[in-house]
Amino acid sequence: MNHAINRRQLLGGMLGGATLLSACGAPPLTVPEQAATGPARRGGTMRIARPAATAAETLDPASSLSAYEYLGAIYNRVVKLDRNGQTVPDLATDWSTNADATVWDFKLRSGVHFHDGRRLTAQDVRYTFAHILDPDTASPQAGPLELIRSIDAVDATSVRFRLRSPNAEFPSLLTAYRWTVPQEGAAEEIGRTGLGTGPLVLGRFTPAGPGQVRANEDYFDGRATLDRIEFYSIQATSARVNALLSRQVDLLAQTTLDNPTARVVANSAGTTIARVQNAQWYTIPMLFTSKEFADPQMRQAMKLAYDPNAVLSTALQGTGAPGWDNPVPPQLKDWTDHEREYDPDKAKAILKKLGREDFSTRIYTSAYEPNLTPIATAYADQVKQAGITLKITNAAADSYYSQIWMSKPLMVSYWFTGRPVDQLLNQIFRSGSSYNESAWSNKQFDQLLDAARADTNDASRRLKYQDAQRLIQADGADQTPVFGDRLVGLSETVVNYD
């Protein structure tokens, strides 16, 4: 049976933890460019393997850590991104702003119902963001929304946001996949009930365990092709891959496969690979507050010392694009095509000037994601040309993002690239942001972001975002060596995965 799945609608974004699959050969094959396409048969069950979450996992969007598939299935957002990264309607059909982009009005669809039959109103949207911003919620999502001064339900289908400062890109901010809309007043039970308006209805949910969603027969955008999705929690990537190869599951979620494993899956009967271009953003943050990388000249030397093309070729076998320390992926319209300088001899001269000719430190990596260690190895090999010695240090996957990330001076990390440019730059690079993994702080950069948000002219605002990218390349503490294609393992019966 062919199972059709729309990744954005049903899974709400693929991102996440994987470990290396050992003892797998790599047949001399290329990885497919895309999975099968064609008409999908109505009905059937999709079986998805995902890494086991913690026992604290919740379906409350304000607090959820890794329930991406559930959030995208059972809820909707006010607005969402299309395949080209443009902000398009979801629960809201239209939006407008005042002259200085400090007041935004959103018009909601009429006739949208929650899974219990209750009609969606503007009060539910107001409640959603008030719940996230409530200090008692302690939501990790609150930071980027603190620019909201007030939220008013003007009438049953109209919501007004008043901002503390201008933001011409405010609608794109609301596309974040966790900012989905539950019912008003649902905070106490939403974590387990998952009562939303989405294309699928929660059947069962077990933190760190299995779950199920089924088709919403009354979904405003039409019934899903599938009857249901079964979720299975399998922690090890090797076990998830084996479940796919033995036809026990149909798709691997929150897993990008390393190139050798992807080739095995592509060459096995009944399974294939879907490639999502530049979907993995790999970073090497240099902790701005550390003695190793507080000096901007030291950060410049680390960048000059390596060639992103070499890292791409060695670590990812060319399946992606070089980053050149610009965090904006090349598929976004606001990307600036600026390659920073590569000159290991100049890096060596800077190190000599700083008295660090024999600079040595650890670079942390983990089996949490299969490409982290290959990237660390390729990067360490590159910077040797400038006399830099990096000791590759593997940390436990289950504590990598609680004990290493944002703590050690140098590590390898990764993100999902599905963010508009304003959201990306403000969430991960603005001074003081809770997601600023390098702790970099630059007043000029923050002022650029403020100026861009206040600029209601699309062309000149884009130039400001491009200036911000070049400033990250020149002074930033978060290196972007490569963007990697996400290689998703799935059954040949799954069609139209994009």
Side-chain angles (χ1 to χ4, degrees):
M1 178 177 290
N2 284 347
H3 303 306
I5 186 165
N6 180 304
R7 178 174 56 92
R8 290 186 184 276
Q9 182 185 57
L10 299 189
L11 300 187
M14 297 281 193
L15 122 103
T19 54
L20 287 170
L21 176 67
S22 60
C24 260
L29 299 173
T30 58
V31 175
E33 291 297 323
Q34 65 179 41
T37 60
R41 185 179 303 172
R42 184 181 176 92
T45 299
M46 169 82 72
R47 301 164 302 171
I48 295 179
R50 62 194 297 269
T54 69
E57 186 53 282
T58 173
L59 297 179
D60 182 350
S63 304
S64 179
L65 301 174
S66 58
Y68 314 115
E69 302 88 358
Y70 288 95
L71 298 188
I74 60 181
Y75 298 117
N76 290 97
R77 289 164 281 186
V78 176
V79 288
K80 62 183 180 181
L81 294 179
D82 66 10
R83 292 176 178 83
N84 298 314
Q86 300 301 306
T87 303
V88 296
D90 198 1
L91 291 176
T93 56
D94 299 287
W95 49 92
S96 59
T97 187
N98 63 347
D100 67 354
T102 57
V103 179
W104 284 89
D105 291 307
F106 291 81
K107 188 68 175 178
L108 303 179
R109 298 177 189 271
S110 298
V112 176
H113 293 86
F114 286 94
H115 299 151
D116 65 354
R118 212 210 76 184
R119 187 182 295 269
L120 170 83
T121 73
Q123 290 287 358
D124 299 303
V125 175
R126 185 206 63 79
Y127 175 80
T128 295
F129 294 97
H131 173 51
I132 295 171
L133 288 166
D134 185 344
D136 290 340
T137 305
S139 172
Q141 323 307 329
L145 296 175
E146 288 176 351
L147 81 165
I148 297 174
R149 183 186 299 278
S150 65
I151 313 163
D152 298 311
V154 179
D155 57 39
T157 58
S158 301
V159 184
R160 177 168 294 159
F161 292 83
R162 297 183 185 276
L163 309 184
R164 301 180 190 280
S165 57
N167 189 348
E169 291 283 339
F170 182 68
S172 74
L173 183 67
L174 300 186
T175 65
Y177 66 90
R178 286 189 179 99
W179 294 338
T180 52
V181 179
Q183 277 190 6
E184 180 185 15
E188 289 188 9
E189 67 272 4
I190 193 64
R192 51 184 172 78
T193 63
L195 191 62
T197 59
L200 293 120
V201 179
L202 185 68
R204 64 179 184 274
F205 168 72
T206 307
Q212 182 202 80
V213 292
R214 63 181 187 276
N216 179 1
E217 301 293 340
D218 299 316
Y219 187 53
F220 66 83
D221 202 26
R223 185 194 188 276
T225 304
L226 292 166
D227 286 340
R228 66 186 60 82
I229 298 176
E230 298 277 356
F231 295 113
Y232 300 93
S233 293
I234 305 174
Q235 187 60 9
T237 301
S238 57
R240 291 197 295 279
V241 171
N242 287 333
L244 176 67
L245 295 175
S246 61
R247 316 289 180 86
Q248 297 177 66
V249 299
D250 303 302
L251 187 142
L252 306 182
Q254 298 188 41
T255 305
T256 182
L257 301 177
D258 59 56
N259 202 278
T261 304
R263 292 168 189 256
V264 171
V265 171
N267 194 38
S268 297
T271 58
T272 188
I273 293 294
R275 186 195 298 237
V276 187
Q277 188 179 29
N278 296 335
Q280 301 289 113
W281 164 32
Y282 293 100
T283 63
I284 303 178
M286 301 175 283
L287 196 60
F288 180 75
T289 53
S290 69
K291 59 181 176 54
E292 288 87 348
F293 301 114
D295 191 322
Q297 293 184 82
M298 186 64 203
R299 300 196 298 273
Q300 181 189 18
M302 296 295 288
K303 297 173 187 176
L304 288 168
Y306 85 98
D307 179 2
N309 283 307
V311 175
L312 177 67
S313 176
T314 303
L316 302 184
Q317 292 78 54
T319 54
W324 293 105
D325 299 324
N326 180 0
V328 177
Q331 65 265 31
L332 287 190
K333 62 181 177 61
D334 296 307
W335 173 69
T336 181
D337 186 8
H338 174 68
E339 291 187 9
R340 56 101 179 128
E341 191 177 4
Y342 163 56
D343 190 338
D345 290 333
K346 186 174 180 179
K348 188 180 293 187
I350 292 173
L351 293 171
K352 184 176 181 180
K353 177 184 175 183
L354 295 174
R356 293 183 170 183
E357 297 98 323
D358 300 317
F359 179 73
S360 175
T361 192
R362 294 179 182 273
I363 182 168
Y364 286 84
T365 181
S366 172
Y368 188 96
E369 202 271 0
N371 291 317
L372 299 187
T373 297
I375 288 170
T377 303
Y379 176 77
D381 187 60
Q382 280 284 300
V383 299
K384 284 179 184 176
Q385 303 170 89
I388 298 168
T389 300
L390 298 182
K391 302 171 184 175
I392 297 173
T393 304
N394 279 283
D398 59 1
S399 60
Y400 193 61
Y401 279 94
S402 61
Q403 296 182 14
I404 304 300
W405 188 58
M406 300 179 72
S407 177
K408 299 299 183 182
L410 193 67
M411 65 169 292
V412 186
S413 185
Y414 79 107
W415 301 81
F416 172 52
T417 59
R419 292 174 173 83
V421 66
D422 178 81
Q423 188 185 122
L424 187 162
L425 296 178
N426 277 278
Q427 283 188 337
I428 304 173
F429 292 90
R430 181 182 281 274
S431 300
S433 169
S434 59
Y435 288 104
N436 185 337
E437 64 180 358
S438 70
W440 181 56
S441 180
N442 184 297
K443 184 177 292 187
Q444 181 186 354
F445 177 81
D446 296 344
Q447 291 170 343
L448 261 176
L449 295 186
D450 291 338
R453 284 183 159 184
D455 191 341
T456 57
N457 179 279
D458 290 347
S460 56
R461 184 169 67 254
R462 180 183 182 187
L463 292 176
K464 291 180 176 68
Y465 286 129
Q466 292 178 336
D467 286 343
Q469 293 167 56
R470 284 187 282 269
L471 187 53
I472 289 172
Q473 288 176 296
D475 182 67
D478 212 344
Q479 301 169 94
T480 297
V482 291
F483 296 96
D485 294 347
R486 184 176 296 123
L487 305 177
V488 180
L490 67 169
S491 166
E492 288 181 342
T493 62
V494 177
V495 297
N496 305 327
Y497 181 97
D498 63 1

